[in-house]
């Protein structure tokens, strides 16, 4: 049986977007592995964007280490395994002269710095060396919302697909909660074939419990845990079209 490999731009994206069906697959006996791409440890000078985000996260002393701890706890709730990449989050990336690639908050969903193009090839080489095409069923983000790191992960997914891997693309949450953002992204990639991944309410609760461990991120994403639970429960039921099951959408792109 193939391993399920989920490419996650950051330490929370996989659980946010796919946590329900990942829990369902673990329960069914599948091995689920999350590869967090842009999460390398960093302590040093901060860009204006990083300073703003750190403030929204409560200015912890070592946020990258804290987020890795949160992620391990979250994946433990679901029963998935985690791998951690060697590239920094874009808010910490610099060029050879120490200049920030994305200094301002507006840059995070702006134009990709050409220096980042090499990251796609970097991870293509790593994934290809670690996993054979016949061994994995792979999922990558659609890139809804236009976050640079999500688009890099999408491009990686497309490159892997072109290399012969079975790759589907998940709707990035919480960005997919904005219907216009989803519509805009699907127009940009010329659509695809959608599948709803169903999961039990028990596994929806596992997802929400796992997300609660990302305590540093909840205030900036949802204000508080109660709003997170309310928003994502409503989304899961809306995706399934049922009251007794949750759902999350993935896409096959031609």
């Amino acid at each position: 049986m193939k391993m399920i490999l989920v490419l996650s731009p950051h330490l929370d994206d996989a659980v946010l977007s796919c946590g329900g069906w990942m829990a369902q697959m673990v329960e069914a006996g599948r091995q689920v592995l999350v590869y967090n791409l842009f999460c390398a440890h960093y302590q040093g000078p901060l860009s204006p964007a990083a300073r703003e985000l750190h403030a929204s996260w409560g200015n912890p002393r070592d946020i990258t280490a804290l987020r890795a701890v949160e992620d391990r706890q979250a994946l433990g709730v679901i029963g998935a395994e985690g791998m951690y990449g060697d590239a920094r989050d874009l808010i910490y990336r610099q060029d050879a002269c120490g200049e920030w690639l994305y200094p301002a908050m507006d840059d995070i969903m702006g134009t990709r710095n050409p220096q980042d193009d090499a990251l796609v090839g970097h991870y293509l080489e790593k994934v290809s060396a670690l996993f054979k095409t016949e061994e994995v069923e792979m999922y990558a983000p659609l890139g809804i919302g236009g976050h640079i790191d999500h688009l890099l992960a999408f491009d990686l997914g497309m490159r892997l697909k072109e290399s012969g891997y079975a790759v589907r693309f998940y709707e990035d949450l919480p960005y997919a909660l904005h219907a216009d953002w989803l519509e805009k992204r699907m127009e940009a990639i010329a659509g695809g074939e959608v599948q709803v991944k169903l999961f039990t309410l028990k596994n929806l609760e596992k997802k929400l419990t796992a997300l609660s461990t990302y305590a540093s991120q909840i205030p900036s994403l949802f204000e508080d845990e109660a709003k997170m639970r309310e928003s994502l429960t409503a989304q899961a039921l809306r995706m399934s079209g049922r009251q007794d099951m949750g759902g999350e959408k993935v896409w096959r792109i031609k």
Side-chain angles (χ1 to χ4, degrees), residues 124-201:
L124 177 65
E125 184 176 330
K126 280 185 170 292
V127 172
S128 300
L130 288 168
F131 306 102
K132 296 179 180 177
T133 56
E134 66 272 16
E135 293 177 342
V136 291
E137 174 185 326
M138 202 174 301
Y139 296 85
L142 272 171
I144 299 164
H147 190 298
I148 299 293
D149 284 346
H150 286 241
L151 294 176
L152 287 166
F154 171 82
D155 287 353
L156 172 61
M158 290 298 289
R159 291 281 300 278
L160 288 162
K161 179 177 174 293
E162 291 162 4
S163 299
Y165 288 88
V167 186
R168 289 185 175 85
F169 297 84
Y170 59 83
E171 295 189 356
D172 323 49
L173 286 170
Y175 304 114
L177 296 174
H178 300 269
D180 54 334
W181 292 8
L182 172 58
E183 182 179 352
K184 181 179 179 182
R185 182 59 179 155
M186 296 316 296
E187 287 176 357
I189 60 178
E193 179 185 330
V194 69
Q195 177 187 13
V196 178
K197 298 274 194 178
L198 296 175
F199 46 89
T200 63
L201 297 183

Side-chain angles (χ1 to χ4, degrees), residues 18-50:
C18 313
W21 67 257
M22 287 198 303
Q24 190 80 17
M25 291 298 95
V26 170
E27 189 178 80
R30 301 286 297 275
Q31 182 183 7
V32 178
L33 176 63
V34 174
Y35 195 170
N36 293 289
L37 301 174
F38 305 111
C39 64
H41 185 257
Y42 178 75
Q43 278 188 294
L46 298 178
S47 66

Side-chain angles (χ1 to χ4, degrees), residues 48-114:
R51 286 198 298 271
E52 186 171 337
L53 284 170
H54 279 219
S56 74
W57 299 335
N59 285 318
R61 187 181 61 83
D62 189 349
I63 184 61
T64 54
L66 174 61
R67 292 193 68 183
V69 170
E70 291 175 342
D71 187 67
R72 292 187 183 97
Q73 291 173 338
L75 296 181
V77 171
I78 286 174
E81 302 168 60
M83 284 180 58
Y84 300 89
D86 57 4
R88 297 175 187 171
D89 188 306
L90 89 172
I91 62 173
Y92 308 122
R93 293 203 288 271
Q94 299 162 278
D95 65 18
C97 299
E99 296 295 321
W100 302 109
L101 299 189
Y102 306 97
M105 287 293 293
D106 287 347
D107 298 326
I108 292 173
M109 294 181 180
T111 302
R112 181 190 303 177
N113 189 299

